[in-house]
Amino acid sequence: ELLREEYAPALIDSVNLSPVSAGRQRAAVSLHTRGPIEADLPAYTLRGYTLHWVLISPDRRIKFSEGDVLLPVLVPGSVWSAEIEWAAPDEEYALMLSIVRPTGSAVIEKLYNSSGELIP
């Protein structure tokens, strides 16, 4: 996991969860690509990458919902943010965020509890 993060071309900076309202919840997600090339590696233009999100039970046995957000073309040193929204489960859950290459492999994965705190 440590090596994957060290060599990831993009990193998740923050996740801010909103309170549940009318059975729905949102998360504002912010990420950045590494760069500029002279200062931070690996740095290259990301094309066709997605932000994949999954709501799962804390024990990872139940998947409540999931979705993808296609990232725009991101050059080295870019910052990007978006909101994702889902139907809030009645029970405890965790939010798994992944930046996924066009080939389908995850660049980086982060897990957050239902309060938006990073789970190591």
Side-chain angles (χ1 to χ4, degrees):
E1 191 62 32
L2 178 63
L3 285 175
R4 186 188 331 196
E5 188 162 335
E6 285 296 317
Y7 291 102
L11 299 171
I12 298 169
D13 294 324
S14 66
V15 175
N16 296 305
L17 274 65
S18 69
V20 175
S21 175
R24 310 278 306 165
Q25 190 167 26
R26 294 180 188 164
V29 179
S30 179
L31 60 88
H32 76 276
T33 57
R34 292 193 190 262
I37 295 171
E38 307 80 34
D40 196 12
L41 293 174
Y44 50 87
T45 300
L46 305 185
R47 289 182 179 85
Y49 282 63
T50 57
L51 175 69
H52 181 71
W53 61 269
V54 182
L55 282 187
I56 54 176
S57 60
D59 63 6
R60 301 182 186 203
R61 292 181 185 205
I62 301 170
K63 185 188 302 182
F64 299 111
S65 60
E66 67 183 316
D68 292 295
V69 178
L70 181 62
L71 300 178
V73 173
L74 297 171
V75 298
S78 297
V79 175
W80 178 86
S81 62
E83 269 195 2
I84 54 177
E85 183 178 345
W86 59 85
D90 292 331
E91 54 194 274
E92 192 66 25
Y93 65 89
L95 172 64
M96 172 78 74
L97 292 176
S98 307
I99 299 173
V100 181
R101 288 185 168 92
T103 59
S105 64
V107 168
I108 194 166
E109 293 180 338
K110 295 288 183 178
L111 186 64
Y112 301 85
N113 65 22
S114 57
S115 299
E117 299 164 339
L118 184 63
I119 300 172

